[in-house]
Amino acid sequence: MGKLDGMVAVISGAGQGIGQGIALALASEGASVAVLGRTEAKLVATCELLRGRGVKAEPFVLDVLDTERIPALVEQIAERFGGIDILVNNAYTGCYGPLLSLSDEQFRKGFDSGPFAAFAFMKAAHPYLKENGGGVIVNLVTSAMVRWDLSTYGAYAAAKSALRALTRAAADEWGRDGIRVNAVAPHAVSPAYARWQDARPEEAAEFRASIPLGYVGDCEQDIGRAVAMLCGPDARYLTGATVPLDGGQANFG
């Protein structure tokens, strides 16, 4: 018996990397999963892995920049699965670089795919989470928000800081509905991290050395399992928090 048996999770950006790792961890605890992302082939592959763990899983193609589609898709998922208990806002399409190198459109894109998309998902999922006696929302943010040097990370950190504030506000307002809302700030060997590590091995080695535990997390075992804990009964009194899943590197203070 898993701690999430009978629950339904909606996870954006679940076709690979951290989103897939979270999906696998929740499935291992018995949750059915709606797998959202832009690339159908990746979603289908993730669903096959999840079904291999004995749960229901279905793919839903969505670019979170298309926020107008989100309410109807959430309704479709709730009808298909019989409700929604867990929402994980993982997808993000933003930009990096010195502030003066970024266009207004590039800067705005991080907000559209981050806090604006998360807000659309959260509003659409709220009645289903409340109806089922209270549910869980987990928003993915970043330790770049508290980085000692924000050079080239400004747009990313700004969008994620907005999402962190949204997380806290929703926790305050929706706690009476039995809905818990938390954020996690992960480091994990995602495809993007792996590409960066291959392209800049010396820089990547310095980055790993700055992590007290000495390694970058695994998408399922280090990030997914922690999110599964946050979604389960063991964390029933935790809401409004930002949980660093970064091996002790950041100081959220």
Side-chain angles (χ1 to χ4, degrees):
M1 294 291 289
K3 293 184 177 181
L4 305 178
D5 278 352
M7 301 181 76
V8 175
V10 178
I11 306 174
S12 67
Q16 63 180 1
I18 291 174
Q20 185 186 73
I22 293 172
L24 290 168
L26 298 189
S28 292
E29 290 294 340
S32 298
V33 185
V35 181
L36 280 57
R38 293 180 296 180
T39 307
E40 185 174 16
K42 293 179 179 179
L43 304 181
V44 170
T46 296
C47 285
E48 290 178 357
L49 293 173
L50 298 174
R51 291 173 190 138
R53 301 195 181 189
V55 303
K56 179 179 180 179
E58 293 189 26
F60 297 86
V61 177
L62 174 75
D63 186 334
V64 295
L65 289 170
D66 191 2
T67 54
E68 292 184 357
R69 282 193 57 212
I70 291 173
L73 181 60
V74 169
E75 182 179 357
Q76 178 187 353
I77 291 169
E79 291 177 356
R80 190 83 61 86
F81 284 81
I84 296 171
D85 304 283
I86 297 167
L87 170 65
V88 179
N89 286 304
N90 166 65
Y92 172 80
T93 304
C95 58
Y96 306 89
L99 294 175
L100 292 178
S101 73
L102 304 177
S103 67
D104 291 351
E105 182 180 2
Q106 286 176 312
F107 187 82
R108 191 176 297 112
K109 189 175 183 181
F111 281 81
D112 288 340
S113 66
F116 282 106
F119 184 49
F121 271 113
M122 291 163 68
K123 284 196 300 179
H126 177 275
Y128 302 107
L129 297 171
K130 181 180 178 180
E131 180 182 1
N132 283 357
V136 182
I137 298 172
V138 177
N139 294 324
L140 273 76
V141 292
T142 176
S143 60
M145 299 182 303
V146 295
R147 189 177 171 86
W148 59 94
D149 179 3
L150 274 172
S151 301
T152 76
Y153 290 96
Y156 178 51
K160 292 294 189 175
S161 293
L163 181 55
R164 185 187 186 194
L166 174 63
T167 299
R168 180 67 199 186
D172 289 340
E173 294 183 12
W174 298 350
R176 292 164 184 80
D177 298 325
I179 300 171
R180 296 188 296 106
V181 192
N182 291 297
V184 297
H187 284 333
V189 185
S190 63
Y193 177 86
R195 288 192 297 271
W196 174 72
Q197 180 177 250
D198 291 342
R200 300 174 179 270
E202 293 183 3
E203 199 173 326
E206 290 180 6
F207 177 78
R208 287 194 303 275
S210 71
I211 299 173
L213 291 183
Y215 72 99
V216 179
D218 178 81
C219 290
E220 179 182 357
Q221 296 302 318
D222 294 310
I223 310 306
R225 294 299 306 166
V227 172
M229 182 275 292
L230 290 174
C231 293
D234 291 340
R236 70 177 195 169
Y237 201 52
L238 181 63
T239 193
T242 297
V243 180
L245 301 176
D246 62 358
Q249 185 190 53
N251 180 9
F252 274 82

